[in-house]
Amino acid sequence: MQNPHAEYIEELLEGLNEPQREAVTHGEGPLLILAGAGSGKTRVLAHRIAYLIHTDQAQANEILAITFTNKAASEMRERVERLLGHATRGMWLMTFHSACARILRTDAPRLGYTRQFTIYDQADARRLTKRAADAVGVDPKRYTPAALNNQISAAKNQLRDAAEYRSTAAGPFEEMVADVYDIYERDLVRMNAMDFDDLLFRVVNLLELFDDVRERYTEMFRHVLVDEYQDTNHAQYRLLQLLVGGGRAPGGGEGEGGRPSYAGPIGHRNLAVVGDDAQSIYSFRQADIRNILDFQEDFPDARVVKLEQNYRSTETILSAANAVIANNRGGIAKRLWSELGQGEQIHLRGLDDEHAEARYVVGEIERLLDEGAARSEIAVLYRTNAMSRVIEDTLVRREIAYQVIGGTKFYERAEIKDAIAYLTLLANPQDLVSFTRIANSPRRGLGATSLARVISHAQTLDVPIWEAAASPQEVPGLGAAAVKALDRFMSTMHELRELSGEAPIAELLESLLSQTGYVEALEAERSIEAQGRIENLEQLVEVGREFDTAAAPGDGGLDVFLQEIALVADADTRSDDAGLITLMTLHNAKGLEYPTVFIAGCEEGVFPHSRALDEGGLEEERRLFYVGITRAMRALYLTYARRRAVFGASTIGLRSRFLDEIPAEVLDEPLESVFRPGLGSIGRRAMHGAGAGENGAAAPGAWREAARDPTGPVTAYRLGEDIVHAGFGEGVVTGVEPGGVIVVRFAADGSERKLMAEYAPLQRR
Ligand code: ATP
Ligand code: MG
């Protein structure tokens, strides 16, 4: 019988090499594609999905395809739709977190949550941790909520609950974390809320506890595919194992080599994973590289496909990548090659300081644009978010449109979080964190003491906070003014709650912003800052409006909206606007490719990062460098600054050891960049100092503007002062930090930026 899609399938397989085709057409059972960067792993996944559907091995809704970010998911969806020639309705193509949130929207009641449970982001989770830490009596000066929460998060990613954590706690620190973990966990459950790590953990619980639920999902997802498998952690690993059957059992009997042997449920085992051990860069989130290295032990009958041809980069770029990664011990030997020719050499430049570096980078960008490159073809990568500022300033001055992935995020702004907290409380009346956040925002005379009384009253009665707040006269010790204020607040909330059942999100938002007096309070402030906040809120209403228009009938509920918002990850603001230069951290660049890539800040202590060096993470830093290099298709620029201002202090920068791992013959490095008087003999450790003797020849590169003279007196700015920035326009100083750093909120877009007062092109108004 001839498959009606035969012709189409032939076409689908045409654009693939032999091993890629083998992976795409692999039938049932486990499949591991292990290959270096740019060898077409993601492409194989997309083709395999199309192939499964066209050969009738699976319906769209029987496929679960996991990607690392929402952005990667939408790119994958586009690719699959292009291959299929139609929309991928019903296909679960998303991140682990989104898939888990969706499963829990259906099945969380089995675990005692309601379907409207709240998802707490990192900041919420830290706030809740702080409450727990206060209750335990932890010294806040010694242990920050962030540090405590990291411990809890790490435990959850290893599927260790509070009781289990306590059972293995060694020493007073871990005992204390166990106490905090206990309370934190109890509070989450009481509030019908989950943090990000819970999304995975609870689904694992669900599948482990209820055979019928597990069987339902195993049957539903006949094929499970995972991209970037090298960055999965134990919870994600266990989840996959439960869904498809097979693999290691948790803490089960020890198998060979110290690995637990398998004794889990049986399933179809249709699991296809792709990854590259050389690109594993998330161990700080408990990613476990063993998951990919031991896939064959978990699934002894797995088909293993290796891909070695790289279709992305020139030979020159690949020899740099190969040479760098060869310095890591272990790992699976792979040598990438490509047919794209030698191409141009890699440009390596040492510049006097970070401003000169930014001018060089932007100067080269201008040259490329003049030669006809599109802005969307260029990316600038760096190790930490803070490094984007100087490059941004320079781009703004040259009027080059750019975007920053993972910078100050819209959803992290206070007013946006307030508005979302209002919505969250409407959806989930048990949500104490949201209640605490907004009860007195805007100010309505409900001080911390009054709120504490209401909260403890709710806890004594063991009722939702909403219920306790709704009868303020019954709260012991609450003053008459507070009773009145709370009464008024709750009657507004009741009205909004009724509205929330029927009105579209945009309308609900507008009503709540006006009825709660939120916008009115901002208007009364009459400041630029408040104006920016109002504009941000208008943006949020716009987000709601877009959601209202896009949502399918019956799928537009408030909790779906809140869920979508909670899951917007850092890397997801990247727009496909052809007209923007992209700036982002190396971590965010995973899986992406650009014709031209700049990696800035290649200095010891910056990259490799000093903290990673202290913690013995050099090899992971090197993998990150490998990821960075292999994003480039045709041109790669590596730059370092000989002096860099870090928190106001000038730090002497030494070129990164990684640069010296690249074979000299692929580098284009001007002589003066190599021989710098007074620097050659200093060891490989960043030195702190005033940058003496740093007046060598100007670095090469075309820029038209002279360096700013930083020798003038440091201008002291005061909080609330109005300023004008040459690029960003009018703003107000909202923070003054040590080392000459000021925080400015700009009127034009409401953005808040940290600037070096000494260097930024600022004037008082
Ligand atoms: P990374 O490890 O960085 O995630 P990857 O292995 O997932 O990389 P892809 O992004 O799938 O690689 O592919 C890299 C580039 O090579 C893409 O532009 C892709 O379209 C192209 N490519 C892959 N295989 C082929 C092929 N057989 N023919 C033509 N182009 C290909
Ligand atoms: Mg990929």
Side-chain angles (χ1 to χ4, degrees), residues 378-670:
I378 302 172
V380 184
L381 313 180
Y382 35 78
R383 180 65 181 80
T384 57
N385 265 315
M387 291 171 66
S388 74
R389 275 313 153 233
V390 181
I391 299 168
E392 278 188 74
D393 275 345
T394 314
L395 285 167
V396 168
R397 254 179 273 141
R398 302 294 165 79
E399 297 183 345
I400 299 174
Y402 69 94
Q403 58 182 334
V404 184
I405 309 296
T408 312
K409 280 152 275 165
F410 180 74
Y411 291 105
E412 279 187 12
R413 296 176 186 161
E415 62 280 12
I416 301 299
K417 298 205 74 162
D418 281 353
I420 289 168
Y422 272 105
L423 290 177
T424 307
L425 185 60
L426 293 175
N428 178 11
Q430 279 149 274
D431 191 338
L432 185 54
V433 168
S434 296
F435 176 85
T436 317
R437 177 170 186 106
I438 55 162
N440 200 34
S441 177
R443 291 218 175 104
R444 43 175 78 89
L446 287 170
T449 325
S450 305
L451 286 180
R453 293 215 160 99
V454 183
I455 292 167
S456 87
H457 182 58
Q459 281 169 352
T460 317
L461 299 186
D462 202 15
V463 297
I465 186 70
W466 179 291
E467 217 175 297
S471 312
Q473 56 288 349
E474 277 157 37
V475 178
L478 203 59
V483 169
K484 206 168 147 202
L486 198 53
D487 217 20
R488 201 175 314 131
F489 171 55
M490 286 310 292
S491 83
T492 311
M493 291 305 282
H494 274 294
E495 282 167 28
L496 290 168
R497 186 124 206 261
E498 268 167 40
L499 192 64
S500 73
E502 51 204 42
I505 303 294
E507 195 181 306
L508 176 63
L509 260 169
E510 277 175 333
S511 306
L512 91 78
L513 290 172
S514 73
Q515 287 178 35
T516 59
Y518 199 93
V519 169
E520 204 183 324
L522 287 175
E523 279 167 349
E525 278 185 35
R526 293 178 185 281
S527 66
I528 279 183
E529 197 187 348
Q531 190 51 42
R533 290 184 195 274
I534 292 173
E535 282 160 18
N536 288 337
L537 289 167
E538 282 164 2
Q539 269 302 308
L540 184 66
V541 173
E542 193 52 39
V543 173
R545 200 166 286 128
E546 280 169 25
F547 174 83
D548 292 331
T549 337
D555 208 20
L558 179 55
D559 38 66
V560 181
F561 178 69
L562 289 170
Q563 171 182 326
E564 284 196 6
I565 284 186
L567 292 172
V568 180
D570 292 7
D572 296 345
T573 39
R574 196 167 80 98
S575 91
D576 272 335
D577 188 334
L580 299 175
I581 305 275
T582 300
L583 272 57
M584 66 189 141
T585 63
L586 287 136
H587 279 98
N588 277 333
K590 194 162 82 147
L592 306 177
E593 59 188 18
Y594 295 86
T596 299
V597 169
F598 291 83
I599 303 180
C602 297
E603 295 135 42
E604 284 293 297
V606 174
F607 193 22
H609 198 276
S610 51
R611 204 177 48 232
L613 288 178
D614 293 345
E615 290 165 8
L618 178 62
E619 297 212 341
E620 180 145 323
E621 292 289 296
R622 190 176 280 115
R623 290 193 292 270
L624 189 57
F625 192 51
Y626 173 83
V627 168
I629 294 174
T630 54
R631 298 311 93 200
M633 298 163 80
R634 293 197 295 271
L636 176 63
Y637 289 81
L638 305 170
T639 60
Y640 62 96
R642 299 193 183 86
R643 198 173 57 222
R644 184 177 294 276
V646 181
F647 300 122
S650 193
T651 304
I652 292 188
L654 295 176
R655 49 190 273 156
S656 168
R657 69 188 75 191
F658 296 155
L659 297 176
D660 296 325
E661 295 172 1
I662 299 174
E665 65 268 20
V666 301
L667 291 174
D668 141 35
E669 183 180 17

Side-chain angles (χ1 to χ4, degrees), residues 180 185 386 712 735:
V180 176
E185 216 36 46

Side-chain angles (χ1 to χ4, degrees), residues 103-104 106-115 202 205-207 209-214 216-217:
I103 289 173
L104 290 165
T106 310
D107 290 307
R110 296 292 286 268
L111 295 172
Y113 297 85
T114 75
R115 291 197 172 85
R202 297 299 157 246
N205 291 154
L206 197 61
L207 301 183
L209 287 171
F210 304 103
D211 285 346
D212 62 313
V213 177
R214 194 191 70 247
R216 177 152 46 85
Y217 285 107

Side-chain angles (χ1 to χ4, degrees), residues 12-232:
L12 185 72
L13 299 179
E14 235 165 46
L16 301 170
N17 64 30
E18 194 42 47
Q20 288 178 334
R21 202 171 300 162
E22 185 190 333
V24 167
T25 58
H26 166 77
E28 305 244 305
L31 169 68
L32 166 65
I33 303 162
L34 188 60
S39 56
K41 296 184 297 296
T42 305
R43 183 181 169 101
V44 162
L45 280 193
H47 278 69
R48 180 167 168 79
I49 293 170
Y51 182 83
L52 288 172
I53 291 177
H54 266 292
T55 51
D56 289 330
Q57 295 184 69
Q59 307 286 318
N61 59 11
E62 291 173 329
I63 289 175
L64 171 64
I66 300 284
T67 58
F68 205 76
T69 60
N70 290 334
K71 179 67 200 165
S74 66
E75 270 179 17
M76 174 80 87
R77 185 174 293 279
E78 275 168 34
R79 283 202 205 190
V80 173
E81 290 184 349
R82 220 176 304 130
L83 292 172
L84 283 175
H86 58 78
T88 50
R89 213 171 275 272
M91 190 181 300
W92 285 51
L93 209 167
M94 53 188 80
T95 63
F96 273 111
H97 283 125
S98 302
C100 288
R102 216 160 137 178
I103 289 173
L104 290 165
R105 284 291 164 215
T106 310
D107 290 307
R110 296 292 286 268
L111 295 172
Y113 297 85
T114 75
R115 291 197 172 85
Q116 289 72 34
F117 66 88
T118 304
I119 302 172
Y120 283 172
D121 67 9
Q122 194 185 50
D124 294 333
R126 286 183 181 167
R127 211 167 294 127
L128 196 62
T129 308
K130 184 175 182 321
R131 279 171 47 96
D134 288 347
V136 171
V138 174
D139 178 359
K141 287 196 202 69
R142 288 189 62 193
Y143 306 104
T144 62
L148 294 167
N149 191 254
N150 284 346
Q151 292 285 320
I152 295 174
S153 170
K156 287 188 176 186
N157 281 316
Q158 288 152 359
L159 299 176
R160 295 163 65 212
D161 62 19
E164 205 176 320
Y165 185 92
R166 182 181 300 283
S167 72
T168 59
F173 174 70
E174 292 189 358
E175 299 279 349
M176 179 189 74
V177 173
D179 292 342
V180 176
Y181 192 175
D182 254 340
I183 296 180
Y184 174 77
E185 216 36 46
R186 215 184 51 214
D187 283 353
L188 277 174
V189 171
R190 182 186 297 144
M191 283 178 236
N192 190 30
M194 301 190 200
D195 63 20
F196 266 59
D197 306 314
D198 280 339
L199 294 176
L200 281 150
F201 202 164
R202 297 299 157 246
V203 171
V204 168
N205 291 154
L206 197 61
L207 301 183
E208 280 179 342
L209 287 171
F210 304 103
D211 285 346
D212 62 313
V213 177
R214 194 191 70 247
E215 278 158 24
R216 177 152 46 85
Y217 285 107
T218 303
E219 260 168 54
M220 182 167 155
F221 302 129
R222 281 179 51 197
H223 284 273
V224 179
L225 305 94
V226 186
D227 199 1
E228 309 275 3
Y229 185 69
Q230 76 278 357
D231 283 319
T232 51

